[in-house]
Amino acid sequence: MKKLKRMAALLLAALLSSNGMQAIAAPPADATQAASPSKPGASAPTYEYKLDNGMRVIVKPDHRAPVVVSMVWYRVGSLDEYSGYTGVAHVLEHMMFKGTHDVPPGQFSRLIAAAGGRDNAFTSRDATAYFQNLQKAQLPLALKLEADRMANLNLSAEEFSREIQVVMEERRWRVEDQARSLLVEQLMATAFKAHPYRRPVIGWMNDLQHMKVEDARAFYERWYVPDNALLVIVGDVQPEEVLALARQYFGAVKSRPLPERKPQTEPEQRGIQRVVVKAPAELPYVAMAYRAPQLHDPEKDWEPYALEMLAYVLDGNPAARLNRNLVRNERIASSVGAGYDSVGRGPALFQLQGTPTTGKTAAELEQALRREVKRVVDEGVSAAELERVKAQAVAAHVYERDSMFYQARQIGALEIAGLSHRYVDLFLDKLKAVTAEQVQAVAKKYLVDDGLTVAYLDPQPLPASRPAPPPGGMDHVR
């Protein structure tokens, strides 16, 4: 449940960032300023630049505290891998901490920590990102270190041989020893037949076992170039000073042409798909994924906004329909959840999941979840219920906008997906405009068997002892 809850939260984050719908003012030759509208609650403007080598820079001043969040995004993730080389994007993320000609292995994080900051990284299906949270005077240090490893990563066979073992152990700990993770992995591999989203971000174990340092080096040389990178800075900064620093440290990194990205369209699904995963666990588990549209045109699309509201109707708070009916009233589930993510480079899914209570089966919970969906399809939602959901969404927006990291992550995620961060106020307006009829319409159109994949966890006896905790070096967020 927690994983899907986080997915729903990230979707809301992508739709409800704190930037304004912004008009581009007359810019310098290498920059655009995106000025926020003058209305109550509008956030500070963002400033967009493009260096001569193709690297983009987005700066959002936030002067509430003397700190800054720096994020370097690369528009490359597991989506850009291919069979036999799965997991290489994530492995390269690990290797980016293994030093350059001037910075010894492990020294990057030590230097950031010595400056009073924190750093980490994550790999997703769509992107790989590296970030630091520092006192604003230390921003030059972060940019210097990031530019250095963008251009001068030292991919040694010795370091790779050690780190690939760490990644394989991470896969064992996070996936193979976790029944629900195995289930989600198989759900994705079943829901998608051709699209790379079917592959796990961490990679298949067989591919990790046969990966070589040359594979990581080729991936680095292919994708870690300024033309494929985005620097996002949020904090107590002046945009002109950030631009000067970006030019100073990243400007000398040479541009290289990017490989051609061919369309990767998932074929039409022609009927319900099912998969059963047997793994040690205490209770069964069910996960359901419906094919759903992703957001393409923020101004003209309406279905993604209605699907997001549908997810909130089902699972937006402890009193939402799934928890109220299936957990508290019927007591058929100990936990339930719904999630939908329309923001990404690939196709979207609307997901439902839950854990049956003791004595109940995954099949019984699936039918209960289907009943809740059918109620929306047949009866719709009331205007009063939808207004409560919208109020909760707005409250989440107001709360989350206090985080500089949140703001930086949402700017990056939207830009990587090809959706300008300048549309975020429009997203909020679109969500507020969703009608009860639209929520019912998308449920009727997309929550159908022909686009459904169902995964059951068949619990097997638990081992006598729990697996040992993971070794150090596996703390990068995913």
Side-chain angles (χ1 to χ4, degrees):
M1 178 180 69
K2 289 182 179 178
K3 182 172 290 186
L4 278 178
K5 292 277 190 181
R6 285 196 297 269
M7 288 171 58
L10 285 175
L11 170 66
L12 182 66
L15 293 178
L16 301 180
S17 179
S18 59
N19 291 312
M21 176 71 176
Q22 299 160 334
I24 300 177
D30 60 350
T32 60
Q33 173 186 350
S36 295
S38 56
K39 63 180 181 180
S43 60
T46 54
Y47 298 77
E48 301 182 37
Y49 308 95
K50 190 171 185 179
L51 305 184
D52 291 341
N53 58 13
M55 186 174 182
R56 297 177 59 217
V57 181
I58 298 179
V59 184
K60 183 178 181 184
D62 186 329
H63 301 295
R64 291 174 296 171
V67 297
V68 63
V69 173
S70 172
M71 301 188 78
V72 174
W73 292 75
Y74 294 93
R75 196 171 188 262
V76 62
S78 62
L79 184 153
D80 302 285
E81 300 167 351
Y82 49 94
S83 296
Y85 296 87
T86 64
V88 66
H90 172 243
V91 170
L92 181 56
E93 176 216 310
H94 278 244
M95 292 302 298
M96 285 285 281
F97 292 86
K98 297 305 172 182
T100 66
H101 302 298
D102 297 326
V103 180
Q107 190 67 15
F108 187 108
S109 295
R110 285 193 286 270
L111 289 169
I112 295 296
R118 296 179 291 109
D119 76 303
N120 215 318
F122 58 87
T123 305
S124 71
R125 295 176 298 182
D126 297 329
T128 311
Y130 304 84
F131 59 89
Q132 299 83 40
N133 192 329
L134 311 106
Q135 202 276 341
K136 65 177 184 178
Q138 300 298 330
L139 179 60
L141 171 66
L143 299 189
K144 178 182 179 180
L145 291 171
E146 285 288 9
D148 181 37
R149 65 180 176 182
M150 176 187 285
N152 304 308
L153 187 63
N154 185 16
L155 281 158
S156 73
E158 181 180 5
E159 288 291 342
F160 180 86
S161 65
R162 284 195 289 263
E163 201 61 26
I164 196 66
Q165 295 299 320
V166 172
V167 174
M168 286 191 286
E169 184 60 27
E170 182 179 353
R171 177 179 167 82
R172 281 188 283 267
W173 173 255
R174 298 189 186 278
V175 181
E176 297 183 2
D177 292 337
Q178 304 293 330
R180 293 185 186 180
S181 295
L182 281 174
L183 183 80
V184 171
E185 187 174 81
Q186 288 301 311
L187 176 73
M188 297 298 289
T190 305
F192 296 114
K193 299 302 182 185
H195 197 273
Y197 274 6
R198 73 186 314 271
R199 306 181 187 123
V201 174
I202 200 169
W204 299 113
M205 182 63 85
N206 183 69
D207 290 347
L208 297 175
Q209 290 170 336
H210 293 90
M211 193 176 294
K212 300 178 180 179
V213 67
E214 290 80 10
D215 301 325
R217 184 177 294 114
F219 200 81
Y220 172 74
E221 293 174 351
R222 184 180 304 123
W223 297 112
Y224 277 52
V225 297
D227 314 62
N228 201 42
L230 169 67
L231 172 64
V232 179
I233 302 293
V234 176
D236 189 15
V237 295
Q238 298 299 325
E240 315 82 44
E241 295 175 0
V242 173
L243 175 59
L245 290 171
R247 284 173 171 162
Q248 178 182 351
Y249 294 113
F250 291 98
V253 181
K254 293 183 179 179
S255 175
R256 296 193 303 274
L258 288 167
E260 178 186 4
R261 281 185 163 111
K262 296 184 178 181
Q264 301 184 83
T265 304
E266 178 69 15
E268 179 184 359
Q269 185 173 329
R270 298 180 181 275
I272 192 169
Q273 303 173 139
R274 292 185 177 274
V275 60
V276 176
V277 174
K278 293 184 176 182
E282 294 181 358
L283 293 170
Y285 187 74
V286 59
M288 304 166 62
Y290 294 91
R291 294 279 189 93
Q294 69 265 57
L295 188 63
H296 287 295
D297 188 329
E299 294 180 297
K300 296 180 180 179
D301 290 348
W302 65 269
E303 291 181 329
Y305 306 109
L307 284 163
E308 170 61 13
M309 286 296 100
L310 174 59
Y312 258 73
V313 166
L314 294 173
D315 184 36
N317 63 84
R321 290 190 177 200
L322 294 184
N323 194 66
R324 182 181 70 240
N325 296 337
L326 304 188
V327 177
R328 296 208 308 271
N329 294 344
E330 298 182 29
R331 297 184 179 180
I332 194 172
S334 60
S335 64
V336 285
Y340 168 65
D341 190 348
S342 69
V343 177
R345 293 168 57 197
L349 296 172
F350 189 101
Q351 299 193 46
L352 303 173
Q353 54 77 38
T355 303
T357 53
T358 302
K360 300 295 184 179
T361 67
E364 289 175 305
L365 180 52
E366 179 196 344
Q367 293 307 311
L369 289 166
R370 284 172 171 273
R371 285 197 302 272
E372 293 303 316
V373 169
K374 192 172 188 301
R375 285 175 183 166
V376 176
V377 171
D378 293 343
E379 304 168 15
V381 299
S382 69
E385 180 181 16
L386 187 59
E387 286 307 308
R388 288 196 299 271
V389 168
K390 290 179 182 179
Q392 292 152 4
V394 172
H397 161 62
V398 173
Y399 175 77
E400 293 287 357
R401 72 186 299 171
D402 285 336
S403 166
M404 291 184 187
F405 176 81
Y406 170 90
Q407 296 176 59
R409 179 157 185 165
Q410 296 324 304
I411 290 172
L414 289 168
E415 293 290 332
I416 290 295
L419 303 170
S420 172
H421 71 280
R422 296 193 304 270
Y423 278 121
V424 290
D425 264 5
L426 173 66
F427 294 157
L428 185 57
D429 291 340
K430 288 279 193 176
L431 287 173
K432 291 178 180 178
V434 169
T435 66
E437 291 77 15
Q438 289 176 328
V439 172
Q440 184 178 20
V442 292
K444 187 177 297 185
K445 181 177 180 180
Y446 292 108
L447 273 57
V448 296
D449 281 1
D450 282 352
L452 172 62
T453 302
V454 181
Y456 284 179
L457 173 63
D458 182 0
Q460 304 298 299
L462 291 167
S465 60
R466 301 289 295 170
M474 301 196 331
D475 59 342
H476 300 320
V477 296
R478 303 287 164 247

